[in-house]
Amino acid sequence: MKMFFPMMIDIEQMKVLIVGGGKIAYRKYSNVAMYANANNITIVAKSFNERFFKEEFLKEDTDVKLLEKSFELSDLDGYDIVYAATDDRELNMAISEYCRSKKILVNSVDNHENSSFINMGIFDCEIDDEKALIGVSCQGKNPKLVKSIKYQLEEYFASRREKR
């Protein structure tokens, strides 16, 4: 059984590549965008879900790069973090294998066993007037349970704050 070490990492200056243009790729982008510099984020896909054509991507001054093209393994070169977020399991595995061979951090959205890192369900809250970032993980095995626990904790801390 694979075990992941929980840690927080500064990705502001890291180059991030997301391979895939669907809902999951968009969700990964949304999370990464809160912490990474926009001009260090590239998303490559043959086509993009409508969510990618929201306001932030249509602005002329956006720094996020959307590359509408067929993915090639050479697209991975020069990146520090990669999300394999396609609907093609074989392609995700090939991306993972290549990244791991090049010591690039990789998250394969369809199989945590092929990942060198996983994301936790996270949320900000205040506890006793101090800001906190709380993370929840099931070691990549049950994202639905993580989401459920995360929302329960968010509600708990929100209600606790309201009682004060």
Side-chain angles (χ1 to χ4, degrees):
M1 176 175 81
K2 188 175 224 177
M3 294 291 290
F4 293 94
F5 179 75
M7 69 178 190
M8 299 177 83
I9 183 170
D10 177 5
I11 65 168
E12 185 176 8
Q13 297 305 317
M14 293 182 148
K15 293 189 66 170
V16 179
L17 177 67
I18 300 169
V19 183
K23 290 178 187 176
I24 293 173
Y26 182 79
R27 194 167 59 239
K28 295 299 181 182
Y29 160 75
S30 296
N31 290 331
V32 165
M34 292 188 295
Y35 299 95
N37 190 330
N39 66 357
N40 288 332
I41 301 173
T42 302
I43 306 163
V44 62
K46 286 185 209 171
S47 62
F48 291 93
N49 180 283
E50 63 192 28
R51 294 178 187 195
F52 283 101
F53 297 105
K54 288 182 170 182
E55 198 172 304
E56 71 243 38
F57 291 105
L58 298 178
K59 290 190 264 183
E60 285 186 28
D61 64 343
T62 186
D63 291 324
V64 176
K65 294 173 248 5
L66 292 181
L67 303 178
E68 195 164 357
K69 69 179 212 69
S70 293
F71 170 79
E72 301 168 29
L73 284 177
S74 61
D75 292 334
L76 300 167
D77 294 333
Y79 286 92
D80 302 302
I81 299 174
V82 172
Y83 287 90
T86 75
D87 59 2
D88 181 336
R89 289 177 85 70
E90 288 181 20
L91 177 56
N92 288 347
M93 180 174 284
I95 291 168
S96 292
E97 288 173 355
Y98 184 88
C99 287
R100 291 167 77 83
S101 75
K102 301 286 186 179
K103 305 288 189 227
I104 300 169
L105 292 172
V106 63
N107 175 269
S108 181
V109 300
D110 60 359
N111 187 342
H112 71 278
E113 292 291 329
N114 294 332
S115 300
S116 58
F117 77 95
I118 56 173
N119 290 113
M120 298 192 307
I122 59 171
F123 66 95
D124 292 310
C125 69
E126 279 192 24
I127 302 173
D128 299 331
D129 296 324
E130 294 290 331
K131 291 189 179 229
L133 178 68
I134 296 180
V136 179
S137 175
C138 287
Q139 293 287 322
K141 294 182 189 84
N142 194 336
K144 287 181 181 175
L145 179 58
V146 168
K147 190 175 187 177
S148 173
I149 293 168
K150 176 186 153 197
Y151 287 130
Q152 289 175 43
L153 287 171
E154 282 179 305
E155 288 177 11
Y156 169 77
F157 287 112
S159 68
R160 187 173 169 215
R161 188 176 62 243
E162 290 168 4
K163 289 179 183 176
R164 296 181 344 129

